[in-house]
Amino acid sequence: MARKGPDFATPVRRVLIAVMALALLALFLFWRIDSPRAEQMRTAMIDRIVPRFEWALVPVTRVTQMVSGFQSYARIYEQNQELRRELQRMSAWREAAVQLEQENSKLMAQNNVRIDPALTSVTGVVMVDSGSAFRQSVLLNVGRQDGIVEGWATMDGLGLVGRISGVGNRTSRVVLLTDPSSRLPVTVQPTGERALLTGDNTPLPLLEFVEQGDNVRPGDRVVTSGDGGVFPPGLLVGQVAQGSDGRLRLRMAADYERLEFLRVLRSHPAEAVVDGAAVIRGGITGPIGPQLPTSPVDAAAASDPLDPGTTP
């Protein structure tokens, strides 16, 4: 078995470590000496050594620049993500602002609409559109507890929408003018022609039974006539339009695509005339026709003009 020779590496390693430690300690102490001569020596050493090691500092400089660039990219990426989140929040706020602007414009339009001052109103929000292929109606969030009565007219900010047909405690149903069961007497302006607006489940209901169809032109204004006491007179309904089938139709003034708020008009029925003769007598201011008798004899003569006791 071969014997191992003496180990010289360990002592040499220890000597080198000790010499390096002493050199570093001396360099540290020399670098810490606060003396003009030591400062000159340090400057001279830096001027001689550092320029010769520029090739070794290039990789370090490159790595430092890469690290700085990566940190800058990370900051830019975080800022970009934050800006994206801000943009999403701003988009949501913008959509909310647009919706509020639309609601505000509709409410202002309702406030500016010209109707009979005697007609007060209740404004309700459309809860659900219950329209179908055979029925056109919506539900409002106002009902009997708000004083809603069946048959009252409803308008949006522009024109007539329909009438109340069915009232609950807190909700009510509005049958639209486009419903096939809807029949509305209207007046075409400025000619004053009377017609009947008939719903046919289309956005352009029919104008039927026009008195003088030749006097009606597309674009003419159409308002309620008040005939039959269904609706108050003078409410804007829409404008006359020529249908593709050649028939007269009505372009609704109300925006049926965006029914959000509806104004329910409190309309009170006109006083019913029970005794027409009493109304006529109430308006007489002087003697008209034969005089009524003022004495009992005259009354008897008037009751029996062929009585022999009376003079013919």
Side-chain angles (χ1 to χ4, degrees):
M1 183 176 181
R3 296 177 57 186
K4 296 179 63 176
D7 186 9
F8 298 102
T10 301
V12 172
R13 188 184 301 113
R14 291 175 180 176
V15 171
L16 290 177
I17 292 174
V19 171
M20 185 177 295
L22 291 175
L24 293 175
L25 180 61
L27 182 61
F28 174 76
L29 294 176
F30 173 73
W31 215 263
R32 300 294 297 178
I33 294 175
D34 189 9
S35 172
R37 182 174 295 179
E39 182 65 26
Q40 292 178 359
M41 293 178 65
R42 288 195 295 268
T43 304
M45 290 177 61
I46 291 174
D47 291 340
R48 284 173 176 261
I49 296 174
V50 172
R52 296 182 180 180
F53 283 91
E54 287 184 356
W55 59 271
L57 296 177
V58 171
V60 178
T61 304
R62 298 295 184 185
V63 171
T64 304
Q65 292 177 352
M66 290 177 61
V67 172
S68 178
F70 180 77
Q71 292 177 349
S72 177
Y73 174 77
R75 288 194 299 270
I76 292 175
Y77 179 78
E78 292 178 358
Q79 292 177 358
N80 189 19
Q81 295 299 319
E82 182 65 23
L83 289 175
R84 287 178 180 273
R85 289 190 291 268
E86 287 288 338
L87 183 60
Q88 291 178 354
R89 288 194 291 268
M90 292 299 294
S91 299
W93 280 107
R94 178 180 176 276
E95 184 64 26
V98 169
Q99 293 179 359
L100 290 176
E101 183 180 3
Q102 293 176 351
E103 293 180 1
N104 187 31
S105 63
K106 290 182 178 180
L107 291 176
M108 291 181 64
Q110 287 187 355
N111 290 331
N112 294 330
V113 66
R114 297 293 185 266
I115 59 176
D116 189 350
L119 296 176
T120 58
S121 62
V122 177
T123 300
V125 179
V126 176
M127 296 169 41
V128 62
D129 183 356
S130 60
S132 64
F134 304 99
R135 187 174 179 84
Q136 297 288 324
S137 62
V138 296
L139 291 179
L140 291 181
N141 65 340
V142 290
R144 190 176 294 108
Q145 66 179 8
D146 302 295
I148 304 300
V149 177
E150 186 171 353
W152 282 358
T154 59
M155 301 181 66
D156 70 347
L158 299 176
L160 189 65
V161 173
R163 60 181 175 84
I164 299 295
S165 176
V167 182
N169 289 329
R170 298 183 179 180
T171 59
S172 57
R173 183 182 300 277
V174 178
V175 175
L176 306 181
L177 298 181
T178 55
D179 187 86
S181 63
S182 176
R183 301 291 186 274
L184 176 64
V186 294
T187 301
V188 181
Q189 295 179 345
T191 60
E193 301 293 338
R194 300 298 180 94
L196 186 67
L197 181 65
T198 304
D200 60 349
N201 212 13
T202 64
L204 301 176
L206 292 170
L207 274 179
E208 297 181 327
F209 305 107
V210 182
E211 291 179 340
Q212 296 293 333
D214 297 336
N215 296 333
V216 178
R217 298 289 185 270
D220 288 348
R221 192 169 179 264
V222 177
V223 298
T224 56
S225 64
D227 294 339
V230 179
F231 290 115
L235 301 179
L236 178 62
V237 183
Q239 291 182 339
V240 178
Q242 190 76 31
S244 58
D245 54 357
R247 304 174 68 181
L248 291 178
R249 293 182 175 270
L250 189 72
R251 182 176 291 106
M252 309 300 295
D255 188 1
Y256 276 63
E257 298 296 329
R258 297 179 180 179
L259 293 179
E260 297 181 10
F261 301 96
L262 292 183
R263 169 181 287 186
V264 183
L265 302 181
R266 294 191 181 100
S267 58
H268 303 285
E271 182 179 357
V273 177
V274 179
D275 189 359
V279 175
I280 296 175
R281 288 197 300 269
I284 296 174
T285 58
I288 300 175
Q291 297 295 316
L292 297 178
T294 58
S295 66
V297 177
D298 295 336
S303 61
D304 191 4
L306 301 181
D307 191 343
T310 61
T311 303

